[in-house]
Amino acid sequence: MKIVVTIGGSIIIKDNDPAKFKDYAEVLHDMNNEHQILVVVGGGKPARDYIGIARGFEASEAACDDIGIEVTRLNAKLLIMALGADAYPKVAMNFHDAMEFGTSGKIVVMGGTEPAHSTDAVGSILAEFVDADLLINATSVDGLYDKDPNKYNDAKMFEKITPTEMMNILSSKEIKAGTYEFFDMTAIQIIKRSNIKTRIINGEYPKNLKKAIKDEIGTVIIPD
């Protein structure tokens, strides 16, 4: 299969620990033996910190996004280092790069692309662009919830959900640079229009990626 994986920055750069990058590299290596793998890496806390500084200069939201994108690309470089010979040696800067680099048989890694697109949106567009069989979103919780499970004990996780249902949940949330909670509207619209099979999983445990391939874990987004 052709698989796009998005890894939240809050997962991979959480503790500034190279072990997390190494753990992901090991799992992605195994997956790449059987599948074509393309990875999108988020910015996490470092991106939010830099965006906070930019806001202190009264920078526009687009300019703040641009700062965050640079951080995602640094995280992508770190994952490429961890992957070593398994990875294409350059960060894909756009979707054309990703498609071209993918012909090498190596794992392709990229970060953000342009303002107003979260890395979740980038992952969705990439999956559409390369006609991926599966999009796996590795986040900080077990799946998609109706509200933040870290704040609310009664939060409910969805085993299955449609893009339209996701849009209804997201419509009540404020979106600013660096504050995306799970998916932004662009990501959902892309998944909806191209019927991209998508599974949201807990990325704290990199081996969950393999379980996602077998439909054993997390939340699956199903067509409307």
Side-chain angles (χ1 to χ4, degrees), residues 4 6 35 38 48 64 66 80 114 118 126 128-129 135 141 150 153 155 181 187 200:
V4 172
T6 64
H35 310 283
L38 303 97
R48 292 190 292 274
C64 290
D66 191 58
I80 288 172
E114 59 186 69
S118 71
L126 178 60
E128 182 181 63
F129 200 88
L135 170 61
V141 291
N150 296 314
N153 292 329
E181 294 194 16
I200 304 167

mmCIF file of all heavy atoms in Angstrom, residues 4 6 35 38 48 64 66 80 114 118 126 128-129 135 141 150 153 155 181 187 200:
data_model
loop_
_atom_site.group_PDB
_atom_site.id
_atom_site.type_symbol
_atom_site.label_atom_id
_atom_site.label_comp_id
_atom_site.label_asym_id
_atom_site.label_seq_id
_atom_site.Cartn_x
_atom_site.Cartn_y
_atom_site.Cartn_z
ATOM 1 N N VAL A 4 0.392 7.420 3.894
ATOM 2 C CA VAL A 4 0.854 8.700 4.407
ATOM 3 C C VAL A 4 0.657 8.703 5.922
ATOM 4 O O VAL A 4 -0.428 8.364 6.421
ATOM 5 C CB VAL A 4 0.094 9.877 3.773
ATOM 6 C CG1 VAL A 4 0.446 11.194 4.473
ATOM 7 C CG2 VAL A 4 0.415 9.969 2.283
ATOM 8 N N THR A 6 0.995 11.101 9.357
ATOM 9 C CA THR A 6 1.250 12.405 9.978
ATOM 10 C C THR A 6 1.553 12.174 11.453
ATOM 11 O O THR A 6 0.801 11.496 12.149
ATOM 12 C CB THR A 6 0.061 13.370 9.821
ATOM 13 O OG1 THR A 6 -1.081 12.849 10.525
ATOM 14 C CG2 THR A 6 -0.316 13.548 8.365
ATOM 15 N N HIS A 35 5.469 -1.464 2.258
ATOM 16 C CA HIS A 35 4.620 -0.383 1.766
ATOM 17 C C HIS A 35 5.479 0.824 1.374
ATOM 18 O O HIS A 35 6.626 0.952 1.807
ATOM 19 C CB HIS A 35 3.613 0.050 2.841
ATOM 20 C CG HIS A 35 2.863 -1.083 3.454
ATOM 21 N ND1 HIS A 35 1.819 -1.714 2.823
ATOM 22 C CD2 HIS A 35 3.003 -1.714 4.660
ATOM 23 C CE1 HIS A 35 1.346 -2.672 3.594
ATOM 24 N NE2 HIS A 35 2.048 -2.694 4.718
ATOM 25 N N LEU A 38 5.205 7.806 3.201
ATOM 26 C CA LEU A 38 5.471 9.244 3.175
ATOM 27 C C LEU A 38 5.026 9.809 4.522
ATOM 28 O O LEU A 38 3.943 9.473 5.014
ATOM 29 C CB LEU A 38 4.715 9.931 2.039
ATOM 30 C CG LEU A 38 4.981 9.395 0.626
ATOM 31 C CD1 LEU A 38 3.899 8.396 0.223
ATOM 32 C CD2 LEU A 38 5.025 10.524 -0.386
ATOM 33 N N ARG A 48 5.005 26.367 18.702
ATOM 34 C CA ARG A 48 4.136 27.295 19.441
ATOM 35 C C ARG A 48 4.950 28.360 20.155
ATOM 36 O O ARG A 48 4.541 29.523 20.252
ATOM 37 C CB ARG A 48 3.260 26.515 20.424
ATOM 38 C CG ARG A 48 2.219 25.641 19.742
ATOM 39 C CD ARG A 48 1.217 25.077 20.734
ATOM 40 N NE ARG A 48 1.821 24.099 21.634
ATOM 41 C CZ ARG A 48 1.954 22.808 21.371
ATOM 42 N NH1 ARG A 48 1.566 22.334 20.197
ATOM 43 N NH2 ARG A 48 2.498 21.975 22.247
ATOM 44 N N CYS A 64 2.968 34.141 11.350
ATOM 45 C CA CYS A 64 3.130 33.185 12.448
ATOM 46 C C CYS A 64 3.123 31.759 11.928
ATOM 47 O O CYS A 64 3.922 30.914 12.354
ATOM 48 C CB CYS A 64 2.012 33.372 13.481
ATOM 49 S SG CYS A 64 2.129 34.897 14.448
ATOM 50 N N ASP A 66 4.097 30.846 9.032
ATOM 51 C CA ASP A 66 5.351 30.651 8.319
ATOM 52 C C ASP A 66 6.475 30.267 9.286
ATOM 53 O O ASP A 66 7.309 29.408 8.978
ATOM 54 C CB ASP A 66 5.708 31.921 7.558
ATOM 55 C CG ASP A 66 6.859 31.713 6.587
ATOM 56 O OD1 ASP A 66 6.737 30.843 5.715
ATOM 57 O OD2 ASP A 66 7.881 32.412 6.716
ATOM 58 N N ILE A 80 14.657 12.444 9.429
ATOM 59 C CA ILE A 80 15.489 11.941 8.329
ATOM 60 C C ILE A 80 16.832 11.443 8.864
ATOM 61 O O ILE A 80 17.330 10.383 8.456
ATOM 62 C CB ILE A 80 15.689 13.032 7.261
ATOM 63 C CG1 ILE A 80 14.380 13.238 6.477
ATOM 64 C CG2 ILE A 80 16.821 12.667 6.306
ATOM 65 C CD1 ILE A 80 14.403 14.426 5.533
ATOM 66 N N GLU A 114 2.562 25.718 3.575
ATOM 67 C CA GLU A 114 2.176 27.113 3.394
ATOM 68 C C GLU A 114 1.236 27.539 4.512
ATOM 69 O O GLU A 114 0.614 26.702 5.175
ATOM 70 C CB GLU A 114 1.498 27.313 2.040
ATOM 71 C CG GLU A 114 0.246 26.485 1.839
ATOM 72 C CD GLU A 114 -0.290 26.610 0.418
ATOM 73 O OE1 GLU A 114 0.357 26.123 -0.518
ATOM 74 O OE2 GLU A 114 -1.365 27.200 0.272
ATOM 75 N N SER A 118 -2.523 23.377 8.510
ATOM 76 C CA SER A 118 -1.865 22.608 9.556
ATOM 77 C C SER A 118 -1.163 21.419 8.920
ATOM 78 O O SER A 118 -1.395 21.075 7.757
ATOM 79 C CB SER A 118 -2.904 22.096 10.564
ATOM 80 O OG SER A 118 -3.698 21.078 9.964
ATOM 81 N N LEU A 126 -1.439 15.615 0.812
ATOM 82 C CA LEU A 126 -0.426 14.703 0.297
ATOM 83 C C LEU A 126 -1.043 13.352 -0.045
ATOM 84 O O LEU A 126 -0.748 12.768 -1.097
ATOM 85 C CB LEU A 126 0.693 14.535 1.324
ATOM 86 C CG LEU A 126 1.819 13.561 0.952
ATOM 87 C CD1 LEU A 126 2.520 13.996 -0.328
ATOM 88 C CD2 LEU A 126 2.816 13.435 2.103
ATOM 89 N N GLU A 128 -4.081 12.756 -0.901
ATOM 90 C CA GLU A 128 -4.863 12.938 -2.120
ATOM 91 C C GLU A 128 -3.934 13.050 -3.326
ATOM 92 O O GLU A 128 -4.188 12.454 -4.385
ATOM 93 C CB GLU A 128 -5.735 14.184 -1.992
ATOM 94 C CG GLU A 128 -6.629 14.423 -3.204
ATOM 95 C CD GLU A 128 -7.464 15.694 -3.056
ATOM 96 O OE1 GLU A 128 -6.861 16.787 -2.980
ATOM 97 O OE2 GLU A 128 -8.691 15.590 -3.012
ATOM 98 N N PHE A 129 -2.854 13.799 -3.176
ATOM 99 C CA PHE A 129 -1.935 14.085 -4.280
ATOM 100 C C PHE A 129 -1.281 12.819 -4.816
ATOM 101 O O PHE A 129 -1.115 12.645 -6.034
ATOM 102 C CB PHE A 129 -0.866 15.077 -3.816
ATOM 103 C CG PHE A 129 -0.165 15.811 -4.914
ATOM 104 C CD1 PHE A 129 -0.672 16.995 -5.416
ATOM 105 C CD2 PHE A 129 1.016 15.325 -5.456
ATOM 106 C CE1 PHE A 129 -0.024 17.684 -6.435
ATOM 107 C CE2 PHE A 129 1.674 16.000 -6.480
ATOM 108 C CZ PHE A 129 1.146 17.188 -6.972
ATOM 109 N N LEU A 135 -4.301 6.948 5.155
ATOM 110 C CA LEU A 135 -3.721 8.078 5.882
ATOM 111 C C LEU A 135 -3.815 7.764 7.366
ATOM 112 O O LEU A 135 -4.900 7.486 7.881
ATOM 113 C CB LEU A 135 -4.490 9.359 5.568
ATOM 114 C CG LEU A 135 -4.179 10.607 6.411
ATOM 115 C CD1 LEU A 135 -2.728 11.025 6.256
ATOM 116 C CD2 LEU A 135 -5.118 11.753 6.025
ATOM 117 N N VAL A 141 -3.615 11.353 21.722
ATOM 118 C CA VAL A 141 -4.677 10.618 22.419
ATOM 119 C C VAL A 141 -5.049 9.387 21.591
ATOM 120 O O VAL A 141 -4.533 9.175 20.495
ATOM 121 C CB VAL A 141 -5.910 11.511 22.670
ATOM 122 C CG1 VAL A 141 -5.582 12.577 23.712
ATOM 123 C CG2 VAL A 141 -6.396 12.162 21.382
ATOM 124 N N ASN A 150 -8.098 15.095 27.890
ATOM 125 C CA ASN A 150 -7.170 15.490 28.949
ATOM 126 C C ASN A 150 -7.798 16.483 29.926
ATOM 127 O O ASN A 150 -7.290 16.693 31.020
ATOM 128 C CB ASN A 150 -5.916 16.109 28.332
ATOM 129 C CG ASN A 150 -5.132 15.121 27.490
ATOM 130 O OD1 ASN A 150 -4.902 13.988 27.922
ATOM 131 N ND2 ASN A 150 -4.720 15.530 26.305
ATOM 132 N N ASN A 153 -13.363 14.286 31.819
ATOM 133 C CA ASN A 153 -13.434 12.853 32.087
ATOM 134 C C ASN A 153 -14.545 12.167 31.303
ATOM 135 O O ASN A 153 -14.504 10.953 31.095
ATOM 136 C CB ASN A 153 -13.656 12.608 33.593
ATOM 137 C CG ASN A 153 -12.442 13.004 34.419
ATOM 138 O OD1 ASN A 153 -11.308 12.921 33.945
ATOM 139 N ND2 ASN A 153 -12.675 13.436 35.648
ATOM 140 N N ALA A 155 -15.293 12.745 28.200
ATOM 141 C CA ALA A 155 -15.046 12.814 26.754
ATOM 142 C C ALA A 155 -15.291 11.445 26.120
ATOM 143 O O ALA A 155 -14.906 10.413 26.661
ATOM 144 C CB ALA A 155 -13.622 13.280 26.483
ATOM 145 N N GLU A 181 -6.391 21.438 17.109
ATOM 146 C CA GLU A 181 -6.571 20.415 18.129
ATOM 147 C C GLU A 181 -6.507 19.004 17.573
ATOM 148 O O GLU A 181 -5.967 18.117 18.179
ATOM 149 C CB GLU A 181 -7.891 20.630 18.864
ATOM 150 C CG GLU A 181 -7.893 21.918 19.668
ATOM 151 C CD GLU A 181 -9.020 21.976 20.652
ATOM 152 O OE1 GLU A 181 -9.612 20.919 20.932
ATOM 153 O OE2 GLU A 181 -9.326 23.054 21.154
ATOM 154 N N ALA A 187 -8.273 19.862 6.134
ATOM 155 C CA ALA A 187 -7.972 18.433 6.190
ATOM 156 C C ALA A 187 -9.239 17.602 6.017
ATOM 157 O O ALA A 187 -9.266 16.625 5.256
ATOM 158 C CB ALA A 187 -7.288 18.095 7.514
ATOM 159 N N ILE A 200 -7.116 7.618 12.953
ATOM 160 C CA ILE A 200 -6.493 8.465 13.974
ATOM 161 C C ILE A 200 -6.103 7.581 15.149
ATOM 162 O O ILE A 200 -6.945 6.865 15.693
ATOM 163 C CB ILE A 200 -7.463 9.568 14.434
ATOM 164 C CG1 ILE A 200 -7.944 10.392 13.230
ATOM 165 C CG2 ILE A 200 -6.792 10.479 15.463
ATOM 166 C CD1 ILE A 200 -9.123 11.288 13.555
#
